[in-house]
Each structure stands twice: as structure tokens, then as C-alpha cells.
Amino acid sequence: MTGSIIDVWDLSTFDAALLARLDEQRALLIDYYGTSRANFLAREASDRRGPPPSNPCAGDYLAFVEDLATDMAEHTIRAWHYTRLTDHEIGIIRTEGICPATLETVQQRIAGLVASGDLAAEEAQFFFDSSPFHDDEFGGRNGKFWMVSHPLPCDDGGVTSLLAHWGGESVYFNHHEGDAIDKLSSIGRACVLEIAVPLHATRHVYDAARSVTQHYGRSLGCHTDWGMFDLYATFPLGPDAVLRVHGDGETDFGLLGRSYPQTFKPREEMD
């Protein structure tokens, strides 16, 4: 992967042009975040009757973030994918890269487990037939490869099921107990993919612009949201996009979201 990679949570990775855009709006951001914080505290101290107080800086702030998103479309950010993989699958990812999930890719992955002896043919058919991809009514999974913008500890409740069960939500989501879930828990090992994601391959440019703005605001002493967001790629990502594969049992796997990467500060240290 060529070019610089932005961590939306680390100002030291922001390029000069991005920092200049943020610096130009320093006063606006201080006013907006300061007013938002004051409004929140006033609301919490009140009986909460009536409409919440408005922020007169909101219009200019939203316009700035939308404009910044246009620039962010040309950037690449680092993101994280929590999953469970066999060694064979890890090898494929390292040599071929990542593809958005579809019913066809689910079928191919399951067939791979039959070939390796990890699943019997009847088990494979059962897991394929019960995949939620058959009824992805709202398009929440099909044609998407989901990630998160901030590294999370591997014992975080939002990712433990993904790490514990092979196949991700495309396979395990319809199983909650019994032999099926036990089988999926026995395949592969927990892994976290560290990925360089070109924002033009996603639909989350605005989220990234808002996140870098929030983290810049924190550097000014403002109280802002943490800025973490889920994102998905809609195009294949080549093997050069896979920065690292962190497998259970390796040192950095246990440090993710705590002291790896070294520049990352967990949420509780920032609040």
C-alpha cells in the first residue's frame, strides 16, 4: 500500500493539508464543541422538559465537515476487522487480499472447510442453507466487508462473538447454542486484520471527516465524542491493503486497543 495512512484517532498521522484545513476552523470548532458541552450539561441539570438548547455554530460546523469529507475521499485510513480464520484462509488473504462478502463467497469459504476436512458435506450444506445472506432483506451484509475505525480490545463485548465463531455474522448469526455453535467455535482461531482502507472504496467519508475533526477538537482541549465508527468496503482490497494479521496467541493480539498501536489511547484515558 503506497502513500500515507491516516489513523483517525492520531493527529500525528494527519498530513499537512488536512491539519491546515482543521487549523483554519480552530475558532469555529472551539465554539461549537464548547457550546455543545455547555448545552449537554445544562440539559442534564434540568428537568429536560421542552426542546434541547440549540447550538448557533451547528450550521457552520456541519458545512465544514461536509466540505472536509470531499478532501477525505482521497485519503486512506487504518481500520480493523475482527474475525475467526483458518491458517489456509489467512494465507489466501495475504496473497489475494480481501473481497466483500456475498452468498457466493460464503459458499466458497464453506466449501474450503469441506476440502480441508473441517466440515462434513452435510454440515457444510446446513451452514450454507442457514446463512442469513439468504434473507439479507436490508442489505446489511451482502456486498460489504465490515470494519471498525478504532482498535478494540479482543475481550470487548462488541467483537467477542466475531472472534469466537468461524464465518462471522454471515454464518454464525442464526445459531445461538448447541452443536452448530460449538462446531463453529472449534474452527480456526481468533484473528484481527489490520487494514489500509482507501476511503473511496467505502461510503464512510463523512464519518471519517467527522472523526478527525473530533480528535482535532480534543487536541484543543474540547470535550468531543470518541469518533469511532463502523465502516465497510464495497470493492475488493488487494493484498497490499492487509497491513498485519494478528492471531490469538501472538503478543500484539492481547495488546490491541490497549497498548497496540503504541500511539493509541483507549477511550477511558481520553475521557
Side-chain angles (χ1 to χ4, degrees):
M1 175 63 64
T2 59
S4 60
I5 300 171
I6 287 178
D7 291 323
V8 294
W9 37 265
D10 184 0
L11 263 66
S12 70
T13 67
F14 296 7
D15 60 42
L18 177 57
L19 284 172
R21 291 292 313 277
L22 293 164
D23 286 340
E24 289 173 358
Q25 301 300 324
R26 184 187 187 99
L28 169 64
L29 298 179
I30 290 173
D31 289 345
Y32 172 76
Y33 291 129
T35 302
S36 293
R37 181 62 175 171
N39 286 349
F40 171 79
L41 294 174
R43 183 73 169 175
E44 288 293 295
S46 72
D47 60 11
R48 303 190 188 184
R49 295 180 180 177
S54 62
N55 188 331
C57 303
D60 289 340
Y61 170 80
L62 293 173
F64 168 67
V65 176
E66 289 177 359
D67 188 50
L68 185 65
T70 302
D71 295 340
M72 289 294 295
E74 303 303 317
H75 287 78
T76 296
I77 67 170
R78 177 159 49 164
W80 312 81
H81 177 77
Y82 290 74
T83 188
R84 192 173 187 89
L85 299 168
T86 66
D87 289 341
H88 179 68
E89 289 176 316
I90 293 172
I92 292 175
I93 287 171
R94 284 178 167 152
T95 57
E96 299 181 13
I98 295 164
C99 288
T102 64
L103 189 59
E104 290 72 23
T105 63
V106 170
Q107 188 172 35
Q108 289 168 6
R109 291 189 65 194
I110 291 174
L113 294 185
V114 175
S116 65
D118 290 298
L119 282 181
E122 59 271 18
E123 292 175 316
Q125 191 63 51
F126 168 74
F127 284 122
F128 177 72
D129 290 343
S130 60
S131 170
F133 270 43
H134 289 287
D135 187 29
D136 193 25
E137 182 179 356
F138 300 106
R141 302 175 182 86
N142 193 39
K144 300 173 181 178
F145 182 83
W146 283 96
M147 297 160 282
V148 65
S149 62
H150 292 43
L152 297 170
C154 292
D155 58 1
D156 184 278
V159 299
T160 50
S161 289
L162 295 169
L163 295 171
H165 308 117
W166 181 88
E169 292 186 348
S170 62
V171 177
Y172 87 81
F173 198 67
N174 286 336
H175 307 287
H176 306 289
E177 59 184 13
D179 293 342
I181 205 71
D182 290 344
K183 184 65 178 183
L184 295 175
S185 300
S186 71
I187 299 171
R189 58 173 171 149
C191 292
V192 182
L193 306 184
E194 183 177 335
I195 307 167
V197 187
L199 283 171
H200 65 75
T202 79
R203 297 179 181 175
H204 300 274
V205 178
Y206 181 87
D207 294 321
R210 181 175 56 191
S211 185
V212 300
T213 303
Q214 290 167 332
H215 283 276
Y216 178 81
R218 283 181 177 269
S219 75
L220 304 178
C222 302
H223 191 287
T224 75
D225 291 337
W226 198 35
M228 186 177 75
F229 58 97
D230 292 334
L231 67 155
Y232 59 82
T234 56
F235 300 102
L237 303 174
D240 57 339
V242 182
L243 303 175
R244 285 189 63 182
V245 179
H246 302 274
D248 189 11
E250 299 171 5
T251 300
D252 288 339
F253 181 87
L255 300 179
L256 280 166
R258 295 187 171 94
S259 58
Y260 182 90
Q262 290 184 350
T263 54
F264 181 73
K265 293 183 179 180
R267 186 169 190 166
E268 57 269 20
E269 293 183 16
M270 299 181 69
D271 289 336

